[in-house]
Amino acid sequence: MKTMPETMGESDVIDLLLAQHAMIRDMFDEVEQAPPDRRGEAFTRLVRLLAVHETAEEEIVHPYARGKIDGGDGVVEDRLTEENEAKQLLQQMDQAGPDAPDFTENLAALRAAVEAHARSEERYEFIQLRAHTTEAERRGMAAGVKAAEAMAPTHPHPGTESATKNVLVGTPVAMMDRARDVIRQALGKKH
Ligand SMILES: [Fe+2]
Ligand SMILES: [Fe+2]
């Protein structure tokens, strides 16, 4: 399935993140096109995908970019501000629910914010990161992102839910917190 970041093949972290940006755009299409009775579950899948993608960037890619690219701290701070704005919108939409009268309007605003953020990453962060890192470093980061995402699957296989413990449940903030916990575990970091 094209919206499962945990099964992606890209071995270079930049290629991997670009492919995830495309996946996020597809997931927005799915939510927009979902019939009203499927909209809530499509939105939940979008939130899971954004939770693992943004959290993997925050834990693995942005810290690396800070040290590697010109003006890295400023570039990363700008990206974190954008990510936090999107998270607030996600949280508001989750609280209002998929039947809220302004759901479509908020979804359009969220999409615009998330896509502008992805373009800024591509332009101001990823191009420089590719230029200032070795292939081995980028492979290492991709392995970290994939290991992290495998621990927080967006689509646990039916019947294995208890084994994989569908960790991404609850509100968007709860999902992001859980994604951060498992990513730190995958990286062998203390909480
Ligand atoms: Fe991001
Ligand atoms: Fe991104």
Side-chain angles (χ1 to χ4, degrees):
M1 195 184 296
K2 62 186 178 184
T3 57
M4 293 172 70
E6 61 271 23
T7 61
M8 298 175 81
E10 285 79 2
S11 59
D12 180 305
V13 75
I14 309 290
D15 296 336
L16 182 66
L17 295 174
L18 294 178
Q20 291 186 359
H21 286 174
M23 193 181 264
I24 289 166
R25 289 194 295 272
D26 288 346
M27 197 62 235
F28 271 107
D29 288 343
E30 268 187 50
V31 182
E32 283 171 5
Q33 290 158 16
D37 62 323
R38 312 295 297 269
R39 198 190 257 168
E41 59 188 78
F43 181 69
T44 298
R45 287 202 300 278
L46 172 68
V47 178
R48 284 202 180 112
L49 179 57
L50 287 171
V52 295
H53 173 78
E54 299 299 348
T55 310
E57 286 177 340
E58 287 172 15
E59 292 294 316
I60 298 169
V61 183
H62 296 333
Y64 216 83
R66 277 185 193 274
K68 285 280 177 179
I69 70 179
D70 301 330
D73 281 331
V75 170
V76 168
E77 289 304 324
D78 289 350
R79 300 297 79 75
L80 291 174
T81 302
E82 294 161 359
E83 282 170 14
N84 286 329
E85 282 167 10
K87 281 176 201 174
Q88 278 172 16
L89 248 176
L90 270 179
Q91 192 68 10
Q92 280 170 23
M93 288 179 72
D94 183 70
Q95 271 162 13
D99 300 323
D102 56 359
F103 182 88
T104 307
E105 199 182 312
N106 286 334
L107 185 69
L110 178 72
R111 181 170 195 157
V114 167
E115 292 187 353
H117 164 65
R119 280 194 299 275
S120 296
E121 284 179 335
E122 292 170 13
R123 272 183 212 158
Y124 305 119
E125 185 176 0
F126 297 171
I127 290 175
Q128 279 208 71
L129 193 62
R130 204 194 292 265
H132 289 91
T133 48
T134 63
E135 205 185 312
E137 288 176 298
R138 294 195 302 278
R139 281 179 180 273
M141 277 188 275
V145 169
K146 285 196 255 190
E149 291 178 344
M151 287 182 72
T154 55
H155 295 65
H157 296 294
T160 60
E161 238 114 322
S162 56
T164 53
K165 292 196 190 76
N166 194 347
V167 295
L168 301 179
V169 293
T171 64
V173 166
M175 285 191 205
M176 309 239 178
D177 286 348
R178 282 299 287 143
R180 198 171 312 280
D181 282 348
V182 297
I183 286 172
R184 289 184 178 178
Q185 271 174 39
L187 297 174
K189 282 187 192 164
K190 294 241 182 336
H191 289 240

